[in-house]
Amino acid sequence: MRFVLIICLFIVVVVVVCERDVKYFGYERHVLENGEHEVNIHNPFLDNVVVQRNVANIPETNNEHHVERREIFGEDDRDEVSREHVPTEDKLAEVSTVLLSVGCTGMLVTTEYVLTAAHCIHSEGHFKKGYSNLEVAIEMEYGLEWRGVTSIFLPSNWTHPDWGVNPDYYDYAVLKIDPLPHEVPHVPIALTTDIQHGVESKISVVGYFDDKPEKTKWLVTCNVIDEDSGVMWHECDVTYGGSGAGMYSMHINPVTNRMELRTVGILSGFNFDSNKELELNYAVRINPTNYYYICSWTCQMEWCLEQLSQGAKREIREKGDSWVLDKLTESSPPYCTTE
């Protein structure tokens, strides 16, 4: 019996490792009728769910090892964003930028999902202090409104970086927030392609930076200096607090053939470029793998497939990521089902 159990366990692990669509690690928090919090933690290896009744017992850490620096290059080029709530095209990213209660920034990529950096929530095998009561402040006409987070999705290649991959490529997380009473502005994601978002292309970021007055947003624009398959290096002036901010640029919508504002990366940290010559700030690219996971977690697989141009699909195939196109045609994950 023990031998059979070991074989079954091995088979389950192999299936999870091979199936890309179940490689995630996250939790869902629910408030029970008696006031207790129920936290469901998804195991990335066995794809099962462990229920924790007391969030205080879930491991937390103050570890700040990852991403120790962010840099200002020469004169500070950041400009303060007006407090006026104007969700027009040129103000869309500014209004869609949100503040996390753990001191990071995020970007609304749909009306109920926020994209941010994984290291703001999870570091070196543990959830960080404050994750269990995580909230997001969204800019409304009357000011900031705090909303609770009901689900967190993290790549298992971030939570378990000993799998032989570069964890910096997976420093992103998706947060599902409590429903809002009405639609809110957001900046949808786009696949970063060599044609539209390569070296020398212009990108911008809005963040809640720690070296600026509290709860103020600052905007900076710069060019991509270098890139590889997972990150893009840039010289946008950023500091602590800006981690998780959405890097955005203009992108051609293949459906309407119009230029639209899209989130193309997640501000992560500071490191050497691909040639190990320059130290630069960098952002995680929304490459094919990350594009699929974010689309899956935000329950918009069909929309994401429609948003891929023929050129983007060709680039995906040429880089050996055809599985992304196959996965996007499948049914939405179970957690997307509305009861």
Side-chain angles (χ1 to χ4, degrees):
M1 176 67 69
R2 186 175 302 174
F3 177 73
V4 173
L5 180 61
I6 293 174
I7 292 178
C8 292
L9 181 60
F10 175 77
I11 293 174
V12 172
V13 172
V14 170
V15 170
V16 171
V17 170
C18 294
E19 285 294 325
R20 296 174 186 262
D21 61 333
V22 294
K23 276 189 176 182
Y24 73 90
F25 183 90
Y27 86 89
E28 297 175 293
R29 186 179 70 210
H30 308 281
V31 180
L32 307 179
E33 291 183 359
N34 60 5
E36 288 186 328
H37 284 223
E38 175 184 276
V39 178
N40 298 334
I41 300 180
H42 302 270
N43 187 313
F45 298 109
L46 302 182
D47 194 33
N48 62 4
V49 176
V50 179
V51 178
Q52 296 275 350
R53 293 288 180 182
N54 185 352
V55 295
N57 291 334
I58 300 173
E60 292 185 345
T61 179
N62 285 313
N63 195 308
E64 300 290 347
H65 173 72
H66 181 75
V67 193
E68 298 179 350
R69 294 171 57 191
R70 287 156 200 81
E71 200 68 27
I72 301 295
F73 298 93
E75 183 178 349
D76 190 344
D77 293 325
R78 292 171 293 176
D79 295 316
E80 186 173 4
V81 173
S82 169
R83 294 178 181 271
E84 185 179 4
H85 182 85
V86 185
T88 55
E89 184 72 19
D90 59 333
K91 293 284 186 179
L92 184 59
E94 300 172 10
V95 177
S96 303
T97 297
V98 301
L99 174 65
L100 275 58
S101 57
V102 290
C104 286
T105 302
M107 175 72 87
L108 277 164
V109 292
T110 77
T111 57
E112 58 181 342
Y113 290 95
V114 170
L115 185 61
T116 189
H119 77 260
C120 295
I121 301 159
H122 189 280
S123 178
E124 297 190 351
H126 294 281
F127 282 102
K128 297 177 72 171
K129 188 175 180 64
Y131 97 92
S132 57
N133 296 309
L134 184 61
E135 292 185 310
V136 172
I138 300 172
E139 183 179 330
M140 310 294 271
E141 293 182 5
Y142 45 81
L144 293 178
E145 178 175 329
W146 289 93
R147 309 298 294 184
V149 173
T150 59
S151 300
I152 295 176
F153 296 93
L154 296 161
S156 59
N157 282 336
W158 171 263
T159 59
H160 297 81
D162 57 343
W163 284 14
V165 298
N166 184 349
D168 289 344
Y169 289 5
Y170 301 92
D171 186 13
Y172 63 93
V174 169
L175 317 177
K176 185 176 183 180
I177 60 176
D178 286 330
L180 288 158
H182 53 78
E183 293 284 312
V184 292
H186 61 280
V187 181
I189 65 169
L191 177 73
T192 54
T193 62
D194 295 340
I195 297 174
Q196 292 197 64
H197 314 105
V199 174
E200 297 186 359
S201 63
K202 184 174 292 186
I203 54 173
S204 301
V205 62
V206 175
Y208 287 94
F209 300 110
D210 287 354
D211 62 334
K212 298 296 185 182
E214 186 178 6
K215 294 180 180 178
T216 61
K217 288 187 283 192
W218 296 75
L219 164 69
V220 62
T221 298
C222 64
N223 292 331
V224 176
I225 305 298
D226 191 16
E227 64 173 350
D228 65 13
S229 62
V231 301
M232 47 189 174
W233 289 269
H234 57 87
E235 288 187 329
C236 284
D237 293 328
V238 296
T239 57
Y240 284 107
S243 289
M247 306 294 295
Y248 61 91
S249 69
M250 299 304 292
H251 176 87
I252 300 176
N253 183 330
V255 177
T256 64
N257 205 31
R258 292 178 58 247
M259 295 294 290
E260 298 178 358
L261 210 60
R262 294 296 176 90
T263 302
V264 297
I266 305 97
L267 186 60
S268 180
F270 181 83
N271 209 335
F272 280 103
D273 65 2
S274 61
N275 296 317
K276 308 298 182 183
E277 295 176 353
L278 299 174
E279 287 188 287
L280 299 166
N281 294 320
Y282 69 91
V284 177
R285 293 184 59 175
I286 302 182
N287 60 21
T289 297
N290 299 342
Y291 185 76
Y292 165 71
Y293 282 124
I294 296 170
C295 291
S296 173
W297 298 338
T298 56
C299 302
Q300 50 179 355
M301 308 250 286
E302 183 177 352
W303 179 88
C304 286
L305 185 60
E306 292 176 350
Q307 292 298 308
L308 294 175
S309 66
Q310 292 303 315
K313 292 178 180 178
R314 183 167 53 253
E315 188 173 314
I316 288 174
R317 294 188 182 97
E318 290 173 351
K319 293 185 176 181
D321 291 319
S322 296
W323 67 269
V324 170
L325 301 177
D326 297 334
K327 288 292 186 182
L328 288 175
T329 63
E330 297 181 357
S331 301
S332 297
Y335 49 78
C336 294
T337 304
T338 303
E339 297 183 1

